[in-house]
Amino acid sequence: EIVLTQSPGTLSLSPGERATLSCRASQSVFNNYFAWYQKRPGQAPRLLIYGTSSRATGIPDRFSGSGSGTDFTLTISRLEPEDFALYYCQQYGSSLQTFGGGTKVDIK
Amino acid sequence: QVQLVQSGPEVKKPGASVRVSCKASGFTFIAYVIHWVRQAPGQSFEWLGWINAGSGNTRYSQKFQGRVSIIRDTSATTAYMEVRSLRSEDTAVYYCARVGTNDAFDIWGQGTMVTVSS
């Protein structure tokens, strides 16, 4: 099982600031099959990034993903009020898909 | 509108079974794979298994093999997930999610809260 460790656990920032979220995998992710999801309370998760760096349909370009192998990053260039939420990483390159523990982005 | 709509919340006693439905609309159901994941309170997501809505083929997490079943009804464009021998640790929000052409979960159901309590 590939274990995904997200850091930091909580990121306290102000609107307009840049957010950098990290996710480290316990082993290399096949074919960079790596995604990021946003989760707001009471809502279903929303796909932000797939294939490590491709934005999903309708996702603003302030969201970007990067990385390879075992280290992956989600960057939000300028935080908007609606971006304060939980973010989860996921690897889907192995038969047992796994998720990270989440990073909460909250308002400073 | 492309969407997955799940059945309502459930409260079950330990040892019972629960079945959650996931109704697809706005897309060709049989062309996609539907996954099920769950999120226990304060925890991250845990993958349970998937079903190919066209072929009916399934695959399960080894952790849930034998206790979870996923089926589909193509005429109803609905996937179902059943968990048997429920225990308190199964209390969670259960989600269905569609795998898109990008291989990630591009459409999610709204989630179904399953509470296991005596």
Side-chain angles (χ1 to χ4, degrees):
Chain A
E1 175 180 338
I2 298 178
V3 177
L4 300 181
T5 303
Q6 289 189 240
S7 61
T10 301
L11 200 50
S12 296
L13 295 167
S14 300
E17 288 193 298
R18 181 185 189 89
T20 302
L21 288 67
S22 297
C23 187
R24 175 163 290 177
S26 60
Q27 55 188 280
S28 187
V29 175
F30 173 74
N31 209 30
N32 285 337
Y33 277 163
F34 199 86
W36 291 92
Y37 298 87
Q38 180 190 66
K39 178 74 171 66
R40 298 190 183 111
Q43 295 187 18
R46 179 171 73 142
L47 176 65
L48 300 174
I49 301 290
Y50 65 92
T52 297
S53 58
S54 298
R55 271 187 302 277
T57 303
I59 302 303
D61 61 7
R62 64 179 182 273
F63 291 91
S64 63
S66 63
S68 66
T70 60
D71 289 291
F72 299 86
T73 300
L74 173 70
T75 302
I76 310 171
S77 59
R78 287 178 56 86
L79 284 164
E80 297 288 341
E82 62 269 27
D83 299 337
F84 292 92
L86 272 161
Y87 292 85
Y88 293 92
C89 58
Q90 177 207 25
Q91 67 78 22
Y92 49 98
S94 69
S95 59
L96 175 58
Q97 311 201 11
T98 51
F99 292 82
T103 291
K104 183 179 182 180
V105 178
D106 67 12
I107 300 177
K108 188 174 182 180
Chain B
Q1 182 184 1
V2 175
Q3 61 181 353
L4 297 170
V5 178
Q6 298 183 220
S7 48
E10 302 269 7
V11 179
K12 296 291 182 180
K13 293 193 182 302
S17 299
V18 68
R19 190 174 82 159
V20 179
S21 67
C22 172
K23 166 81 174 166
S25 61
F27 63 94
T28 305
F29 178 65
I30 58 173
Y32 290 87
V33 172
I34 303 293
H35 287 243
W36 289 87
V37 300
R38 72 181 187 182
Q39 186 176 34
Q43 303 296 311
S44 184
F45 296 96
E46 187 172 31
W47 177 73
L48 302 175
W50 57 255
I51 186 165
N52 181 311
S55 67
N57 289 342
T58 55
R59 184 159 192 169
Y60 302 102
S61 166
Q62 196 167 4
K63 176 178 177 180
F64 298 100
Q65 191 85 36
R67 205 163 67 89
V68 169
S69 295
I70 302 172
I71 62 172
R72 95 295 190 215
D73 179 341
T74 56
S75 62
T77 65
T78 300
Y80 302 89
M81 185 224 38
E82 180 181 63
V83 183
R84 298 177 290 279
S85 302
L86 287 164
R87 30 212 192 223
S88 59
E89 310 88 87
D90 294 317
T91 293
V93 178
Y94 289 75
Y95 293 95
C96 60
R98 186 186 83 166
V99 173
T101 54
N102 51 40
D103 293 320
F105 296 172
D106 66 344
I107 302 294
W108 292 65
Q110 83 275 20
T112 296
M113 182 70 214
V114 175
T115 303
V116 183
S117 174
S118 55

